[in-house]
Amino acid sequence: MSGELKNVGILALEIYFPTTCLQQEALEVHDGASKGKYTIGLGQDCMGFCTEVEDVISMSLTAVTSLLEKYAIDPKQIGRLEVGSETVIDKSKSIKTFLMQIFEKCGNTDIEGVDSTNACYGGTAALFNCVNWVESSSWDGRYGLVVCTDSAVYAEGAARPTGGAAAIAMLVGPDAPIVFESKIRASHMAHVYDFYKPILDSEYPVVDGKLSQTCYLMALDSCYKSLCNKYEKLEGKQFSIDDAAYFVFHSPYNKLVQKSTARLMFNDFIRNASSIDESTKEKLAPFSSLTGDESYQSRDLEKASGQVAKPFYDGKVKPSTLVPKQVGNMYTASLYAAFASLLHNKRSSLAGKRVVLFSYGSGLTATMFSLRLNAGQHPFSLSNIATVMNVEEKLKSRHEFTPEKFIETMKI
Amino acid sequence: MSGELKNVGILALEIYFPTTCLQQEALEVHDGASKGKYTIGLGQDCMGFCTEVEDVISMSLTAVTSLLEKYAIDPKQIGRLEVGSETVIDKSKSIKTFLMQIFEKCGNTDIEGVDSTNACYGGTAALFNCVNWVESSSWDGRYGLVVCTDSAVYAEGAARPTGGAAAIAMLVGPDAPIVFESKIRASHMAHVYDFYKPILDSEYPVVDGKLSQTCYLMALDSCYKSLCNKYEKLEGKQFSIDDAAYFVFHSPYNKLVQKSTARLMFNDFIRNASSIDESTKEKLAPFSSLTGDESYQSRDLEKASGQVAKPFYDGKVKPSTLVPKQVGNMYTASLYAAFASLLHNKRSSLAGKRVVLFSYGSGLTATMFSLRLNAGQHPFSLSNIATVMNVEEKLKSRHEFTPEKFIETMKI
């Protein structure tokens, strides 16, 4: 059966984020931080957060219910449901079992899948698993449903402005407008302590910010190189940043996405790829002999590559940064909130385009993978997905908290 | 590519359990329990446990390293590695990333997969995911590796003798001796609090023993009915316990496996299946009008069905109970330790046989699924798998602790 299946991928998306938020500018003032420390230094505009009335369970229940309703999907049509999350409510019982409440009342308990876990990467693992299921001999013809849900909160201090919260639900099946190019994919996984949660009764992670950033960029390099190699073997020609219309990154904070963009360009420069023009070559030439380690530490390279990558960022990356800049780090939902932003901004113009995504989870697990988009058929069309998500309205209808009220809420 | 693949399944298994154990008889005496309370009441002979020198990470590192060595698998040949576990060492960093240490040093970091989590079911989810990957278009031709690793420890009291610990590694690929019959599979998933771990800084779960047992049996009924229906649609004939050579159950304690066996027989009786002879019909007739709920509570039914199911248990279930009775509840590894016991006991005589497995994880998620075995080709043959696992030698070479020394160890 699987041999006949075409275009397995994402049929529909729904996104939910809390209606409560905090302007990063206001937090800067409150924290006595220099102006622009959060808004330019981190590149973040606003931060969403859960108050005491919601959590990862309620957010994901909302996202799933809303997706099923808006696309008129009978809960009995779901054959697989899996969750990516790093917000641990219980050390044994999966978030998936909480979501079964929606399906049990319709008499559907025959639904495979549980939770996938590794930091911000769990949603990507769940998505790959779900696509594989549809392509496997155990597929029973029903839809798969993938949920990413997280609440990112940090102890008071440098990391606090990098919080966020959201849930995303994705419907998976054949004949999708968002199709996986399953051979154009590369992973980098390793044993590192860059960000982890060893204090089991605390919501707050332990973070080595500098190490985590370097790990992210090293994993990005490794995945990109490997993806290029695979593409070249497959297609018999070089891959470069010119070969995708958009790049979407896991976004702990926007500044790292900017750095990642520059890093991809630097990779193409080192690889002598056709995407790099003469003027760029000149500007990056002084850095051509840096070792890998040196290149992660060099502020001069960061500055020079950031400058030359600006048009690349503005054209191929910025359209995916809206929700991550407005809501913050949503952990497992972060990459897909970025992808949702791209769908929101570019809609049906994405038809025929390739989009490359980079998923990163500390610890660490990372994958770069490629999607090929087509217009799709109503209701599973790019334009309808954007309309149904209604990102702009959701962003507009939020309530701003003062920093004082936010801090009070965090203490509950 | 996936269309051409045949016989995707388990190529090899390795099992590790701690060399430290405690006789249940000795624990009965120590606890002042009535003689036979643990050995007959629970059906457990012995309990394995981790001392301070090992944990789920070390056990799984051992199982994986040992499997790779014994089957001469180059770590570079692994394209996917995933873990099922409910023992939370860190709330963000997956156990899979710890295992990457084995592969990084060989230069292989391009390995998909993370951890799958829901109580004792995570290993089954990981195994299904891995098989689906091999059957999907994203398979890259390399092996998959699934690891189940858990340490089950309980607070002093009634549940303490139901502990255990083990890690199992399974190599997944095409042309396997242990093949998934992917259409003969049914799940039952629901939102229940029968066993969970809400106290995040404690190793100990919260358990409603009676509820959990009923949930297990209800899930078993639901899966069995659904599997029978699917089989009947597929094959055009009725399914009964006669249609599989062996049944293997997730085993929190052996008594529940005995009850499950009786329950399957009762299901066949209610379904008027050909497996039920006249004498059995007579003995179960008084219970034919019980409601579902009543049937879970009836001690008379339990006794009567247990009696008639004794030959069924002895012939088709007992061969899989060795390691679970000797090591205890191994959570995610429990079902596969039972399956390993069957391989150990029946070896190449399993060729051509169907084996039905029942996986249960509280919370709850359950699946009944079917495997079809063939002799296989060396080194991936049923007889070699049994020889390499060497279960008898591993059981023999354990050291017995006294209950006092065990309790002291638990306090560390």
Side-chain angles (χ1 to χ4, degrees):
Chain A
M1 177 187 290
S2 54
E4 301 157 25
L5 280 183
K6 289 277 179 295
N7 293 342
V8 177
I10 301 167
L11 291 156
L13 283 96
E14 178 57 304
I15 180 167
Y16 172 85
F17 43 79
T19 56
T20 41
C21 67
L22 170 68
Q23 290 294 341
Q24 294 282 4
E25 260 185 2
L27 192 58
E28 280 173 2
V29 173
H30 174 272
D31 290 355
S34 56
K35 188 167 169 53
K37 185 170 182 188
Y38 304 159
T39 50
I40 298 167
L42 293 173
Q44 292 299 112
D45 296 332
C46 192
M47 176 165 62
F49 56 89
C50 293
T51 65
E52 70 277 18
V53 299
E54 57 184 349
D55 65 3
V56 289
I57 308 292
S58 69
M59 289 194 295
S60 53
L61 284 166
T62 301
V64 169
T65 306
S66 176
L67 183 143
L68 295 176
E69 275 176 18
K70 288 176 180 166
Y71 288 88
I73 306 285
D74 183 338
K76 286 185 181 167
Q77 289 178 271
I78 302 297
R80 188 172 169 108
L81 167 63
E82 50 198 317
V83 176
S85 180
E86 62 162 293
T87 308
V88 174
I89 298 284
D90 188 280
K91 292 196 298 178
S92 171
K93 187 172 159 61
S94 64
I95 294 175
K96 186 262 177 74
T97 60
F98 289 89
L99 298 177
M100 282 308 300
Q101 293 172 91
I102 298 168
F103 301 90
E104 281 176 72
K105 63 183 178 196
C106 305
N108 183 9
T109 59
D110 188 4
I111 302 184
E112 288 192 12
V114 293
D115 291 5
S116 285
T117 51
N118 185 85
C120 304
Y121 183 88
T124 297
L127 185 56
F128 289 172
N129 289 342
C130 206
V131 169
N132 290 347
W133 173 69
V134 175
E135 291 186 342
S136 80
S137 66
S138 54
W139 185 52
D140 67 357
R142 293 184 292 168
Y143 294 118
L145 195 49
V146 173
V147 179
C148 308
T149 182
D150 268 308
S151 167
V153 290
Y154 292 86
E156 286 191 65
R160 176 149 269 185
T162 63
I168 288 191
M170 295 181 270
L171 192 72
V172 171
D175 303 320
I178 300 158
V179 182
F180 283 75
E181 294 194 300
S182 54
K183 294 294 178 204
I184 309 178
R185 178 193 295 183
S187 296
H188 178 84
M189 308 218 174
H191 172 50
V192 190
Y193 285 103
D194 57 332
F195 162 113
Y196 54 118
K197 293 179 178 169
I199 307 161
L200 299 181
D201 61 348
S202 165
E203 265 197 293
Y204 302 140
V206 173
V207 196
D208 182 336
K210 199 172 154 52
L211 175 64
S212 195
Q213 183 176 298
T214 305
C215 285
Y216 182 108
L217 295 173
M218 285 175 66
L220 177 71
D221 284 355
S222 174
C223 288
Y224 186 63
K225 278 175 198 154
S226 175
L227 181 138
C228 290
N229 286 339
K230 289 182 186 183
Y231 180 93
E232 284 155 20
K233 270 190 194 158
L234 203 68
E235 302 286 335
K237 57 181 182 182
Q238 197 183 43
F239 186 89
S240 79
I241 54 172
D242 285 349
D243 289 298
Y246 298 97
F247 289 83
V248 182
F249 297 89
H250 168 59
S251 177
Y253 48 93
N254 177 261
K255 189 56 173 272
L256 188 52
V257 174
Q258 295 173 39
K259 287 183 186 179
S260 300
T261 311
R263 194 78 206 173
L264 287 191
M265 200 140 186
F266 183 63
N267 269 278
D268 270 8
F269 163 72
I270 295 291
R271 296 169 59 242
N272 203 18
S274 58
S275 59
I276 305 298
D277 61 24
E278 287 309 314
S279 134
T280 301
K281 272 184 198 165
E282 260 172 50
K283 283 170 187 149
L284 295 179
F287 310 102
S288 60
S289 59
L290 290 183
T291 65
D293 273 357
E294 286 168 349
S295 76
Y296 298 114
Q297 310 308 331
S298 167
R299 297 297 297 262
D300 291 338
L301 168 59
E302 191 184 313
K303 206 174 159 190
S305 60
Q307 255 166 12
V308 295
K310 183 77 170 38
F312 170 39
Y313 176 82
D314 287 343
K316 295 193 170 188
V317 178
K318 204 176 177 185
S320 65
T321 61
L322 175 66
V323 177
K325 279 170 75 80
Q326 280 292 325
V327 180
N329 189 1
M330 297 152 272
Y331 288 162
T332 55
S334 196
L335 175 65
Y336 301 96
F339 183 62
S341 305
L342 178 67
L343 292 169
H344 165 74
N345 279 318
K346 297 294 175 181
R347 296 174 181 249
S348 54
S349 77
L350 292 167
K353 301 271 167 55
R354 170 181 289 140
V355 179
V356 168
L357 285 80
F358 177 66
S359 180
Y360 179 84
S362 291
L364 63 86
T365 60
T367 301
M368 183 174 278
F369 60 103
S370 176
L371 301 174
R372 176 71 77 171
L373 277 58
N374 63 72
Q377 291 206 314
H378 190 82
F380 305 132
S381 66
L382 296 177
S383 63
N384 191 50
I385 291 171
T387 303
V388 165
M389 284 196 302
N390 205 359
V391 166
E392 202 163 309
E393 188 56 35
K394 282 176 184 157
L395 285 173
K396 263 191 204 155
S397 57
R398 295 191 295 174
H399 313 288
E400 285 179 21
F401 270 39
T402 61
E404 291 75 16
K405 208 170 158 194
F406 162 72
I407 289 163
E408 213 173 282
T409 304
M410 286 297 105
K411 285 182 183 152
I412 295 172
Chain B
M1 178 186 292
S2 54
E4 302 157 26
L5 281 183
K6 289 277 179 294
N7 293 343
V8 177
I10 301 167
L11 291 157
L13 282 96
E14 178 56 305
I15 180 167
Y16 173 85
F17 43 79
T19 56
T20 40
C21 67
L22 170 68
Q23 290 294 341
Q24 294 282 3
E25 260 185 1
L27 192 58
E28 279 174 2
V29 174
H30 174 272
D31 290 355
S34 56
K35 188 166 169 55
K37 185 171 182 187
Y38 304 158
T39 50
I40 298 167
L42 293 172
Q44 292 300 112
D45 296 332
C46 192
M47 176 166 61
F49 56 89
C50 294
T51 65
E52 70 277 18
V53 300
E54 57 184 350
D55 65 3
V56 289
I57 307 292
S58 69
M59 289 194 295
S60 53
L61 283 166
T62 301
V64 169
T65 306
S66 176
L67 184 142
L68 295 176
E69 276 176 18
K70 288 176 180 166
Y71 289 87
I73 306 286
D74 183 337
K76 286 186 181 167
Q77 289 178 271
I78 303 297
R80 188 171 169 108
L81 167 63
E82 50 199 316
V83 177
S85 180
E86 62 162 294
T87 308
V88 173
I89 297 284
D90 188 280
K91 291 195 299 177
S92 171
K93 186 171 160 61
S94 64
I95 294 175
K96 186 261 177 72
T97 61
F98 289 89
L99 297 177
M100 282 308 300
Q101 293 172 90
I102 298 169
F103 302 90
E104 281 176 72
K105 63 183 178 197
C106 304
N108 183 9
T109 59
D110 188 4
I111 302 185
E112 288 192 12
V114 293
D115 291 5
S116 284
T117 51
N118 185 85
C120 305
Y121 183 88
T124 297
L127 185 56
F128 289 172
N129 289 341
C130 206
V131 168
N132 290 347
W133 172 69
V134 175
E135 291 186 343
S136 80
S137 66
S138 53
W139 185 52
D140 67 358
R142 292 184 293 168
Y143 295 118
L145 195 49
V146 173
V147 179
C148 308
T149 182
D150 267 308
S151 166
V153 290
Y154 291 86
E156 286 190 63
R160 176 149 270 186
T162 63
I168 288 191
M170 294 180 270
L171 192 72
V172 171
D175 303 320
I178 300 157
V179 182
F180 283 76
E181 293 194 300
S182 54
K183 294 295 178 204
I184 309 179
R185 178 193 295 183
S187 296
H188 178 83
M189 308 218 173
H191 172 50
V192 190
Y193 286 103
D194 57 332
F195 162 113
Y196 53 118
K197 293 179 178 170
I199 307 161
L200 299 181
D201 61 348
S202 165
E203 265 197 293
Y204 302 141
V206 173
V207 196
D208 182 336
K210 199 172 154 51
L211 175 64
S212 195
Q213 182 176 298
T214 305
C215 285
Y216 181 108
L217 295 173
M218 285 175 66
L220 177 71
D221 284 355
S222 174
C223 288
Y224 186 62
K225 278 175 199 155
S226 175
L227 180 138
C228 290
N229 287 338
K230 289 182 185 182
Y231 180 93
E232 285 154 20
K233 270 190 194 157
L234 204 68
E235 302 286 335
K237 57 181 182 183
Q238 197 184 43
F239 186 89
S240 79
I241 54 171
D242 285 349
D243 289 299
Y246 298 97
F247 289 84
V248 182
F249 297 89
H250 168 59
S251 178
Y253 48 93
N254 177 261
K255 189 57 173 272
L256 189 53
V257 174
Q258 295 174 39
K259 287 184 185 179
S260 300
T261 311
R263 195 77 206 174
L264 286 191
M265 199 139 187
F266 183 63
N267 268 278
D268 269 8
F269 164 71
I270 295 291
R271 296 168 61 241
N272 202 19
S274 59
S275 58
I276 305 298
D277 60 25
E278 287 308 314
S279 135
T280 301
K281 271 184 200 165
E282 260 173 49
K283 284 170 187 149
L284 295 179
F287 310 102
S288 61
S289 58
L290 290 183
T291 66
D293 274 356
E294 286 168 349
S295 76
Y296 298 113
Q297 310 308 330
S298 167
R299 296 297 297 261
D300 291 338
L301 168 59
E302 193 184 312
K303 206 174 159 190
S305 60
Q307 254 166 12
V308 295
K310 183 76 171 38
F312 170 38
Y313 175 82
D314 287 343
K316 295 193 170 188
V317 178
K318 204 176 177 185
S320 66
T321 61
L322 175 66
V323 177
K325 279 170 75 80
Q326 279 292 325
V327 180
N329 189 0
M330 297 152 272
Y331 289 162
T332 55
S334 195
L335 176 65
Y336 301 96
F339 183 62
S341 305
L342 178 67
L343 291 169
H344 165 74
N345 279 318
K346 297 294 175 181
R347 297 174 180 248
S348 54
S349 77
L350 293 167
K353 301 271 168 54
R354 170 181 288 140
V355 179
V356 168
L357 285 79
F358 177 66
S359 180
Y360 178 84
S362 292
L364 64 85
T365 60
T367 301
M368 183 175 277
F369 59 103
S370 177
L371 302 174
R372 177 71 76 172
L373 277 58
N374 63 72
Q377 292 206 314
H378 190 81
F380 304 133
S381 66
L382 296 177
S383 63
N384 191 50
I385 291 172
T387 302
V388 165
M389 285 196 302
N390 204 359
V391 166
E392 203 162 308
E393 188 56 35
K394 281 176 185 158
L395 285 173
K396 264 191 204 154
S397 57
R398 295 191 295 174
H399 313 287
E400 285 180 22
F401 270 39
T402 61
E404 291 74 17
K405 208 170 158 194
F406 162 72
I407 289 163
E408 213 173 281
T409 304
M410 286 298 104
K411 284 181 182 152
I412 295 172

